[in-house]
mmCIF file of all heavy atoms in Angstrom:
data_model
loop_
_atom_site.group_PDB
_atom_site.id
_atom_site.type_symbol
_atom_site.label_atom_id
_atom_site.label_comp_id
_atom_site.label_asym_id
_atom_site.label_seq_id
_atom_site.Cartn_x
_atom_site.Cartn_y
_atom_site.Cartn_z
ATOM 1 N N TYR A 1 80.967 197.494 172.687
ATOM 2 C CA TYR A 1 79.869 196.879 173.421
ATOM 3 C C TYR A 1 79.052 195.855 172.716
ATOM 4 O O TYR A 1 78.067 195.403 173.208
ATOM 5 C CB TYR A 1 78.965 198.027 173.853
ATOM 6 C CG TYR A 1 79.507 199.029 174.777
ATOM 7 C CD1 TYR A 1 79.981 200.243 174.278
ATOM 8 C CD2 TYR A 1 79.802 198.752 176.114
ATOM 9 C CE1 TYR A 1 80.580 201.226 175.138
ATOM 10 C CE2 TYR A 1 80.392 199.670 177.009
ATOM 11 C CZ TYR A 1 80.857 200.904 176.509
ATOM 12 O OH TYR A 1 81.416 201.777 177.260
ATOM 13 N N GLY A 2 79.637 195.338 171.636
ATOM 14 C CA GLY A 2 78.936 194.343 170.955
ATOM 15 C C GLY A 2 77.607 194.589 170.279
ATOM 16 O O GLY A 2 76.825 193.768 169.982
ATOM 17 N N ARG A 3 77.445 195.900 169.845
ATOM 18 C CA ARG A 3 76.088 196.214 169.261
ATOM 19 C C ARG A 3 76.209 196.069 167.779
ATOM 20 O O ARG A 3 77.237 196.473 167.079
ATOM 21 C CB ARG A 3 75.773 197.691 169.574
ATOM 22 C CG ARG A 3 75.335 197.858 171.012
ATOM 23 C CD ARG A 3 74.864 199.206 171.211
ATOM 24 N NE ARG A 3 75.556 199.757 172.370
ATOM 25 C CZ ARG A 3 75.738 200.958 172.666
ATOM 26 N NH1 ARG A 3 75.299 201.942 171.988
ATOM 27 N NH2 ARG A 3 76.424 201.372 173.711
ATOM 28 N N VAL A 4 75.233 195.433 167.186
ATOM 29 C CA VAL A 4 75.156 195.254 165.711
ATOM 30 C C VAL A 4 73.884 195.806 165.152
ATOM 31 O O VAL A 4 72.972 195.957 165.844
ATOM 32 C CB VAL A 4 75.339 193.749 165.294
ATOM 33 C CG1 VAL A 4 76.637 193.243 165.838
ATOM 34 C CG2 VAL A 4 74.290 192.977 165.839
ATOM 35 N N LYS A 5 73.918 195.932 163.788
ATOM 36 C CA LYS A 5 72.714 196.458 163.227
ATOM 37 C C LYS A 5 72.539 195.725 161.859
ATOM 38 O O LYS A 5 73.432 195.232 161.290
ATOM 39 C CB LYS A 5 72.829 197.980 162.842
ATOM 40 C CG LYS A 5 71.644 198.658 162.290
ATOM 41 C CD LYS A 5 71.995 200.108 162.152
ATOM 42 C CE LYS A 5 70.761 200.838 161.584
ATOM 43 N NZ LYS A 5 70.990 202.261 161.315
ATOM 44 N N ASP A 6 71.284 195.619 161.349
ATOM 45 C CA ASP A 6 70.927 194.928 160.091
ATOM 46 C C ASP A 6 71.331 193.539 160.063
ATOM 47 O O ASP A 6 71.885 193.089 159.018
ATOM 48 C CB ASP A 6 71.619 195.761 158.944
ATOM 49 C CG ASP A 6 71.172 197.161 158.902
ATOM 50 O OD1 ASP A 6 69.972 197.593 159.187
ATOM 51 O OD2 ASP A 6 72.014 198.015 158.708
ATOM 52 N N ARG A 7 71.380 192.780 161.143
ATOM 53 C CA ARG A 7 71.650 191.398 161.187
ATOM 54 C C ARG A 7 70.640 190.461 160.538
ATOM 55 O O ARG A 7 69.394 190.598 160.879
ATOM 56 C CB ARG A 7 71.894 190.946 162.582
ATOM 57 C CG ARG A 7 72.479 189.543 162.593
ATOM 58 C CD ARG A 7 72.614 189.082 164.181
ATOM 59 N NE ARG A 7 73.385 187.912 164.323
ATOM 60 C CZ ARG A 7 73.022 186.648 164.011
ATOM 61 N NH1 ARG A 7 71.764 186.455 163.601
ATOM 62 N NH2 ARG A 7 73.759 185.632 164.220
ATOM 63 N N LYS A 8 71.094 189.699 159.553
ATOM 64 C CA LYS A 8 70.185 188.724 158.859
ATOM 65 C C LYS A 8 70.849 187.373 158.594
ATOM 66 O O LYS A 8 72.052 187.376 158.644
ATOM 67 C CB LYS A 8 69.762 189.277 157.585
ATOM 68 C CG LYS A 8 68.821 190.386 157.608
ATOM 69 C CD LYS A 8 68.220 190.677 156.242
ATOM 70 C CE LYS A 8 67.201 191.817 156.289
ATOM 71 N NZ LYS A 8 66.682 192.125 154.921
ATOM 72 N N GLU A 9 70.107 186.320 158.695
ATOM 73 C CA GLU A 9 70.542 185.080 158.357
ATOM 74 C C GLU A 9 70.060 184.445 157.103
ATOM 75 O O GLU A 9 68.841 184.800 156.836
ATOM 76 C CB GLU A 9 70.156 184.093 159.585
ATOM 77 C CG GLU A 9 70.851 184.195 160.838
ATOM 78 C CD GLU A 9 70.592 183.157 161.803
ATOM 79 O OE1 GLU A 9 70.038 182.077 161.505
ATOM 80 O OE2 GLU A 9 70.858 183.391 163.038
ATOM 81 N N PHE A 10 70.907 183.702 156.401
ATOM 82 C CA PHE A 10 70.490 183.197 155.083
ATOM 83 C C PHE A 10 70.835 181.809 154.980
ATOM 84 O O PHE A 10 71.912 181.329 155.550
ATOM 85 C CB PHE A 10 71.245 183.998 153.983
ATOM 86 C CG PHE A 10 70.945 185.503 153.920
ATOM 87 C CD1 PHE A 10 71.686 186.390 154.642
ATOM 88 C CD2 PHE A 10 69.889 185.932 153.108
ATOM 89 C CE1 PHE A 10 71.449 187.635 154.675
ATOM 90 C CE2 PHE A 10 69.733 187.315 153.021
ATOM 91 C CZ PHE A 10 70.441 188.198 153.795
ATOM 92 N N LYS A 11 70.046 181.019 154.226
ATOM 93 C CA LYS A 11 70.385 179.590 153.871
ATOM 94 C C LYS A 11 71.334 179.606 152.648
ATOM 95 O O LYS A 11 72.109 178.678 152.514
ATOM 96 C CB LYS A 11 69.095 178.708 153.622
ATOM 97 C CG LYS A 11 68.369 178.531 154.777
ATOM 98 C CD LYS A 11 67.087 177.647 154.462
ATOM 99 C CE LYS A 11 66.257 177.309 155.621
ATOM 100 N NZ LYS A 11 65.141 176.603 155.358
ATOM 101 N N ASP A 12 71.221 180.646 151.802
ATOM 102 C CA ASP A 12 71.917 180.725 150.606
ATOM 103 C C ASP A 12 73.105 181.661 150.675
ATOM 104 O O ASP A 12 72.940 182.788 150.984
ATOM 105 C CB ASP A 12 71.015 181.128 149.375
ATOM 106 C CG ASP A 12 71.616 181.149 148.155
ATOM 107 O OD1 ASP A 12 72.089 180.114 147.621
ATOM 108 O OD2 ASP A 12 71.835 182.318 147.561
ATOM 109 N N ILE A 13 74.336 181.193 150.363
ATOM 110 C CA ILE A 13 75.387 181.961 150.421
ATOM 111 C C ILE A 13 75.504 183.120 149.421
ATOM 112 O O ILE A 13 75.905 184.201 149.949
ATOM 113 C CB ILE A 13 76.803 181.088 150.252
ATOM 114 C CG1 ILE A 13 78.041 181.764 150.676
ATOM 115 C CG2 ILE A 13 76.842 180.572 148.863
ATOM 116 C CD1 ILE A 13 79.151 180.845 150.727
ATOM 117 N N ASN A 14 74.871 182.982 148.263
ATOM 118 C CA ASN A 14 74.888 184.146 147.392
ATOM 119 C C ASN A 14 73.960 185.218 147.838
ATOM 120 O O ASN A 14 74.248 186.421 147.567
ATOM 121 C CB ASN A 14 74.556 183.629 146.043
ATOM 122 C CG ASN A 14 75.630 182.740 145.461
ATOM 123 O OD1 ASN A 14 76.904 183.071 145.581
ATOM 124 N ND2 ASN A 14 75.268 181.663 144.772
ATOM 125 N N LEU A 15 72.768 184.810 148.396
ATOM 126 C CA LEU A 15 71.948 185.881 149.001
ATOM 127 C C LEU A 15 72.578 186.661 150.039
ATOM 128 O O LEU A 15 72.451 187.790 150.272
ATOM 129 C CB LEU A 15 70.595 185.236 149.541
ATOM 130 C CG LEU A 15 69.619 184.681 148.466
ATOM 131 C CD1 LEU A 15 68.416 184.065 149.117
ATOM 132 C CD2 LEU A 15 69.206 185.896 147.553
ATOM 133 N N ALA A 16 73.390 185.975 150.869
ATOM 134 C CA ALA A 16 74.143 186.565 152.073
ATOM 135 C C ALA A 16 75.165 187.449 151.487
ATOM 136 O O ALA A 16 75.328 188.564 152.051
ATOM 137 C CB ALA A 16 74.732 185.512 152.957
ATOM 138 N N ALA A 17 75.894 187.068 150.467
ATOM 139 C CA ALA A 17 76.891 187.894 149.928
ATOM 140 C C ALA A 17 76.253 189.084 149.253
ATOM 141 O O ALA A 17 76.929 190.234 149.438
ATOM 142 C CB ALA A 17 77.646 187.152 148.874
ATOM 143 N N ASP A 18 75.149 189.015 148.571
ATOM 144 C CA ASP A 18 74.467 190.217 148.019
ATOM 145 C C ASP A 18 74.064 191.116 149.183
ATOM 146 O O ASP A 18 74.189 192.428 148.885
ATOM 147 C CB ASP A 18 73.298 189.635 147.170
ATOM 148 C CG ASP A 18 72.678 190.821 146.357
ATOM 149 O OD1 ASP A 18 73.482 191.465 145.592
ATOM 150 O OD2 ASP A 18 71.497 191.130 146.378
ATOM 151 N N TYR A 19 73.591 190.671 150.189
ATOM 152 C CA TYR A 19 73.092 191.516 151.290
ATOM 153 C C TYR A 19 74.295 192.320 151.834
ATOM 154 O O TYR A 19 74.235 193.515 152.230
ATOM 155 C CB TYR A 19 72.410 190.678 152.448
ATOM 156 C CG TYR A 19 71.971 191.517 153.556
ATOM 157 C CD1 TYR A 19 70.890 192.408 153.339
ATOM 158 C CD2 TYR A 19 72.500 191.324 154.760
ATOM 159 C CE1 TYR A 19 70.485 193.270 154.402
ATOM 160 C CE2 TYR A 19 71.946 192.067 155.918
ATOM 161 C CZ TYR A 19 71.016 193.009 155.705
ATOM 162 O OH TYR A 19 70.573 193.751 156.687
ATOM 163 N N LEU A 20 75.421 191.537 152.075
ATOM 164 C CA LEU A 20 76.622 192.123 152.576
ATOM 165 C C LEU A 20 77.172 193.314 151.633
ATOM 166 O O LEU A 20 77.526 194.384 152.104
ATOM 167 C CB LEU A 20 77.824 191.208 152.701
ATOM 168 C CG LEU A 20 79.055 191.689 153.051
ATOM 169 C CD1 LEU A 20 79.079 192.200 154.526
ATOM 170 C CD2 LEU A 20 80.178 190.833 152.942
ATOM 171 N N TRP A 21 77.027 193.055 150.312
ATOM 172 C CA TRP A 21 77.579 194.013 149.260
ATOM 173 C C TRP A 21 76.536 195.285 149.449
ATOM 174 O O TRP A 21 77.067 196.351 149.363
ATOM 175 C CB TRP A 21 77.596 193.381 147.976
ATOM 176 C CG TRP A 21 78.128 194.292 146.949
ATOM 177 C CD1 TRP A 21 77.570 194.737 145.884
ATOM 178 C CD2 TRP A 21 79.494 194.617 146.785
ATOM 179 N NE1 TRP A 21 78.382 195.505 145.047
ATOM 180 C CE2 TRP A 21 79.579 195.444 145.657
ATOM 181 C CE3 TRP A 21 80.570 194.460 147.623
ATOM 182 C CZ2 TRP A 21 80.793 196.007 145.231
ATOM 183 C CZ3 TRP A 21 81.838 195.029 147.204
ATOM 184 C CH2 TRP A 21 81.850 195.790 146.045
ATOM 185 N N GLU A 22 75.376 195.049 149.674
ATOM 186 C CA GLU A 22 74.356 196.166 149.784
ATOM 187 C C GLU A 22 74.663 196.964 151.034
ATOM 188 O O GLU A 22 74.686 198.156 150.976
ATOM 189 C CB GLU A 22 73.009 195.569 149.803
ATOM 190 C CG GLU A 22 71.823 196.560 150.079
ATOM 191 C CD GLU A 22 70.518 195.885 150.196
ATOM 192 O OE1 GLU A 22 70.135 194.966 149.409
ATOM 193 O OE2 GLU A 22 69.846 196.270 151.055
ATOM 194 N N LEU A 23 74.891 196.299 152.223
ATOM 195 C CA LEU A 23 75.220 197.086 153.396
ATOM 196 C C LEU A 23 76.575 197.802 153.241
ATOM 197 O O LEU A 23 76.650 198.917 153.791
ATOM 198 C CB LEU A 23 75.380 196.024 154.579
ATOM 199 C CG LEU A 23 74.118 195.454 155.271
ATOM 200 C CD1 LEU A 23 74.471 194.502 156.315
ATOM 201 C CD2 LEU A 23 73.268 196.453 155.745
ATOM 202 N N PHE A 24 77.550 197.107 152.652
ATOM 203 C CA PHE A 24 78.730 197.762 152.379
ATOM 204 C C PHE A 24 78.697 199.054 151.696
ATOM 205 O O PHE A 24 79.447 200.037 151.961
ATOM 206 C CB PHE A 24 79.670 196.804 151.712
ATOM 207 C CG PHE A 24 81.078 197.277 151.351
ATOM 208 C CD1 PHE A 24 81.985 197.719 152.347
ATOM 209 C CD2 PHE A 24 81.343 197.558 150.010
ATOM 210 C CE1 PHE A 24 83.315 198.208 151.965
ATOM 211 C CE2 PHE A 24 82.612 197.991 149.641
ATOM 212 C CZ PHE A 24 83.633 198.351 150.501
ATOM 213 N N GLY A 25 77.831 199.137 150.659
ATOM 214 C CA GLY A 25 77.701 200.338 149.815
ATOM 215 C C GLY A 25 77.925 199.979 148.413
ATOM 216 O O GLY A 25 77.928 200.997 147.591
#
């Protein structure tokens, strides 16, 4: 159904990668 959670946007690729790693566990 296209539901997402914890969606964030970043200007910096490294901040986005760090957030993904945190979400992943």
